[in-house]
Amino acid sequence: MLLVYGGLFFLLFGRILFIQATGQAEGKTMASLAEAKYAREAILKADRGQILDRNGETIASDTLSYRLIAVLSEKATAGSKVPRHVIDYEKTAEVLAEYIPLEKEQILSNLTNARDGEKYQVEFGKAGRDISHETVQAIREKELPGILFVEDTKRFYPNGVFASHLIGFSMKEEDSEKNISTVGKMGLEKTYNKELSGVDGKVNFQSDRWGFILPKSEKAIVPAKDGDEIQLTIDKTIQNFVEDAMTKVQKKYSPKKMLVVVANPKTGEILAMSQRPTFHPATREGLTDSWLNEAIEETFEPGSTVKMFTVAAAMEEKKWDPNAYFTSGRYKIYDQVIRDVKRDGWGTISYLEGFQRSSNVSMAYLLERMGDKKFIEHYRSFGFGEKVGIDLPNEAAGVVLDEFPAERLTTSYGQGSTVTAIQMIQAATAIANNGVMKKPYVIDKITNPNTGKVIEDHQPEDAGRPISADTAKKVRELLASTVTSEKGTGQPFALNGYTVGGKTGTAEIPNPSGGGYLRGNGNYLYSFLGMAPVEDPQLLTYVLVQQPKLQEGASGSDPVAELFTSIMESSLKYLNIVPSGDEAVEAIVLQDYVGGSSTSAAEQLQRDGFRPEIIGEGGTIVSQYPQKGTKLAEGSVVLLQTEGPTTLPDFTGWSKKMVLSFKLLSGLDLRISGDGYVTEQSLSQGTLIGPDEPVVIQLKAPSEIYKPVEEKLEEESIVGG
């Protein structure tokens, strides 16, 4: 016995000595075995990049959500007096069915199948992800054993229906290795998915068998890299004006389609873009089979809005004489007859009246004067027939029909040849911008949030000079006459306090079930392409309404005008554009007050008719808004920033842009709710507050604040009008 046990002792002692000396056992390094046993890796999730409007307001971002897990293994309860796994499968399925989009039977099947397969835990796919904090709290109150929640993120679209076909949407997807990530499926979310997608980080550490980090163990951290931030040219406030107006018109007229694009003609920046039907990007409610951004990807025959470019071409060729006369009604070209909407015409009328009445025949005689092939050259110089090159995918080019004389003729009044809405916007910038055509764009810049480095910085870009400044000015005057003349088809598009110029369109729609065009009341594509103020346009808006349901006596221009006037009036006021026209207030150029005394500056501003607001306790002015040289109307607010604590002003009547500027200069925590103009504030005027005290500012759209008097103008529903 002594020999046996003695031998075993020396054998064991020798083995221990060998392991200590070599660090190996059974040919394997012990350190590696320990590393494999206790090494752990935690994932640091990267946030998907934000999509912001031009003022930095959120359009799409990641927000906190939860993922539902049901623990099934009894091992989870080992050593615990409280059950930590699912006990009552029937009750658990019944409760969960009240809170997640799965039927009780499906949940029960998932639980029992996973248990029979001896799985430790089970998840519930898409139904068990993106759960809100409120839902988590409600389920926790039911005290279901084995039900856990893991923090996660989901894509958040705070504005709801908001340029949905432009922004698109993203959703969680599971890859072949069971990794879940957010993937863009449509719109900018899809186009810039690579840029928006971050790179997950990780933490490597050592832990015990229960997962606790071992003392003095080293952690290797690879930080997560959040996705790039995309800032758009879209203005959230103007976009909301568009969405609200479209929603009202949709309820009133139930059109088959609608499309609105608002742009800055000086730069080509797209300020708003929307269409109907549309959808909510978070829920996808309302999403149809058509995922096209119709302003970019869909072509159509534009109708008489094209006539502004036809006349511009004639002016360039010195063939436009507004006081010359022609016989309206009909025009024959070979074996085809072109007619005006009023089939017997208006008799012999001037070309000026012909344009105001939207006569197709007047365009035919203009082509005789300048030559139809010369017209097509000018038409193409406006960018038609080619992609504008906007920073969005799948842009269509449209088709210019010019093989036969009849095709060139119909192109002159917007029939036959096709365009996109974004081409129409680009072409009209030449008229609004004194002959310089601007390339449209929607991406302002792309920034790496981890470093602050600007990756892409888009700037205004010229797209050509199809007409002279003199021609552009004359065309704007002509467009204004369609609104102001008693013979003009644009009368319903007049704005309160602003001059406007534009052209109506009533295009025939190709019959999808056969040749020819649709017929019948309302079976047209009604449109208006307009700019304001017409002397120096600051906004350019294109509105299209297809096949509205019109009441007896209503005109196809009615829904178009309701959209255009609502959007333009609200947007011009929001941008503090000085009104013009008969009721115009003379604009005053703002001086430079930086470096001067706030007291003397305020006195001077009051003498000039402005409303000065001092940020800080007064003294030397360190900044002002708006900047020097800005033209302002009497009664406009001017912000003067000084050092020291700030006393709250009366924000009533302020535009959202002005409130945002006050917030930026003052550093106060102003929480803005709504769009338009301020109607309420949570703390009263004169309150002295610090940067940590929140103030809620309530805004409402102009249409909600007051109801303007509406004058109904009679207008013929016309093809080509």
Side-chain angles (χ1 to χ4, degrees), residues 5 44 159 170 223 287 318 342 479 518 528 544 583-584 597 611:
Y5 283 106
L44 299 175
N159 305 301
S170 61
L287 186 61
K318 312 297 184 189
K342 189 178 180 184
L479 294 174
L518 296 177
F528 188 75
L544 299 103
E583 303 172 8
S597 164
R611 293 168 51 195

Side-chain angles (χ1 to χ4, degrees), residues 475-508:
V475 174
R476 290 200 302 271
E477 292 171 351
L478 184 62
L479 294 174
S481 76
T482 70
V483 178
T484 58
S485 170
E486 62 181 16
K487 301 168 185 175
T489 59
Q491 293 177 71
F493 298 88
L495 302 178
N496 291 320
Y498 296 95
T499 56
V500 61
K503 185 70 191 74
T504 55
T506 307
E508 294 181 310

Side-chain angles (χ1 to χ4, degrees), residues 182-251:
T182 302
V183 179
K185 307 301 291 183
M186 177 185 177
L188 292 173
E189 290 274 26
K190 179 179 180 181
T191 304
Y192 290 91
N193 185 65
K194 182 179 178 181
E195 290 82 357
L196 290 167
S197 298
V199 179
D200 290 341
K202 59 184 178 181
V203 180
N204 292 316
F205 58 90
Q206 290 184 324
S207 68
D208 59 19
R209 61 183 292 188
W210 294 281
F212 293 103
I213 298 176
L214 294 172
K216 298 182 180 180
S217 65
E218 294 185 359
K219 291 192 293 183
I221 301 176
V222 178
K225 295 180 180 178
D226 294 337
D228 293 338
E229 182 179 277
I230 298 179
Q231 188 159 10
L232 307 181
T233 61
I234 296 293
D235 188 302
K236 179 183 171 184
T237 299
I238 296 177
Q239 183 69 44
N240 279 329
F241 289 152
V242 169
E243 300 294 354
D244 291 345
M246 294 183 84
T247 298
K248 290 175 183 176
V249 169
Q250 182 71 41
K251 289 179 180 178

